[in-house]
Amino acid sequence: MSEGAVAQREVALVDLVDRLLGGGVVIAGEITLAVADVDLVHVSLRALVSSVDTAQRQGALPRMGEAL
Amino acid sequence: MIELVAITDGTLAPEAPVRAVPFDGLAVLCAPAAEGEADAETLWRREALLEALMEQGALLPVRYGTVVADEAAAVEAVSEHRDAFARALARVRGAVELSVRAVGPADAAPAAARVHATLAVLARDAVRLGGDEQLNGAYLVERGAVDDFVAAVGRLQREHRGLSILCTGPWPPYSFTEAG
């Protein structure tokens, strides 16, 4: 995978994690997987989001639509 | 233990080990519960599974990590929401979710609001999700209108130089699973 494709995938991963862990049908009281582990992933990915702007100004990441 | 993957209208035929368990005209797609920590590859595999299933018909993803004892427990967990699921499936049928994030300085909030309003007009439905960004929007877009939507994102980026706008998708309708 090219460097650009990896960057796009990482950016899209933020949206994926937000959606898989924060979206979808919620069935109360039935979430029993190791969510704590996943939450750690989530936190680090949120940090990535706040760095996207800087990365884009450096030309390291795709701009609008390119992650599509 | 099995994991609930998605709610569908009963016409989807998943490949093993995923099974479609029928309930009252709909079906809940179940998979053997994963063991160990969920890493990025695990999450991408789930996404790929949902995307492949979406090619067959409408579905509502279930929150990742929703595990029950067996298929009987799965049916029990979803049956009471049957009518809400049916309405939500009608809402998302033929559409996909697109994500648009915009980051920028604090005074860019009005611009982000304009971006959201412009994109919402092009979508069947739209919602602003929480987050640190000026905009973290989810848009339910007709499959045939995705190209137009992305083109609009491009125009908005050119109009709002103070924002960095990033669009990803198409996603399963993770943010539109309510009856609406």
Side-chain angles (χ1 to χ4, degrees), chain A residues 9 11-27 30-33 37-38 41 46 49 53 56 62-65 67-68, chain B residues 4 37-38 41 43-44 47 61-68 78 85 97-99 101 103 131-133 150 157 164-166 168-169 171 174 177:
Chain A
R9 207 168 137 90
V11 170
L13 180 58
V14 178
D15 285 328
L16 175 65
V17 170
D18 268 6
R19 281 165 172 72
L20 275 177
L21 305 186
V25 173
V26 175
I27 298 164
E30 301 285 352
I31 295 181
T32 56
L33 282 193
D37 296 329
V38 175
V41 177
R46 295 302 302 211
V49 169
D53 185 43
Q56 283 179 338
R63 292 190 75 90
M64 70 279 174
L68 194 68
Chain B
L4 310 190
E37 298 179 12
E41 284 307 315
L43 300 181
W44 280 119
E47 170 67 16
V62 174
R63 175 76 53 91
Y64 188 82
T66 303
V67 173
V68 297
V78 297
F85 291 148
E97 177 172 332
L98 295 175
S99 164
R101 292 179 195 261
V103 293
D132 302 331
E133 305 88 354
V150 173
Q157 176 66 88
S164 284
I165 304 177
L166 191 72
T168 66
W171 301 102
Y174 294 105
T177 55

Side-chain angles (χ1 to χ4, degrees), chain B residues 77-160:
Chain B
V78 297
S79 287
E80 65 174 303
H81 308 294
R82 189 259 172 222
D83 291 347
F85 291 148
R87 288 196 300 276
L89 283 165
R91 182 191 185 199
V92 303
R93 187 163 289 117
V96 295
E97 177 172 332
L98 295 175
S99 164
V100 176
R101 292 179 195 261
V103 293
D107 64 3
R114 285 196 296 276
V115 168
H116 175 72
T118 302
L119 294 176
V121 171
L122 303 175
R124 189 185 289 183
D125 210 338
V127 62
R128 291 185 77 158
L129 309 172
D132 302 331
E133 305 88 354
Q134 293 286 4
L135 172 63
N136 179 11
Y139 304 85
L140 187 66
V141 179
E142 306 273 347
R143 283 178 181 270
V146 169
D147 288 349
D148 288 346
F149 186 93
V150 173
V153 173
R155 284 195 301 276
L156 288 163
Q157 176 66 88
R158 289 191 289 278
E159 291 168 13
H160 298 283

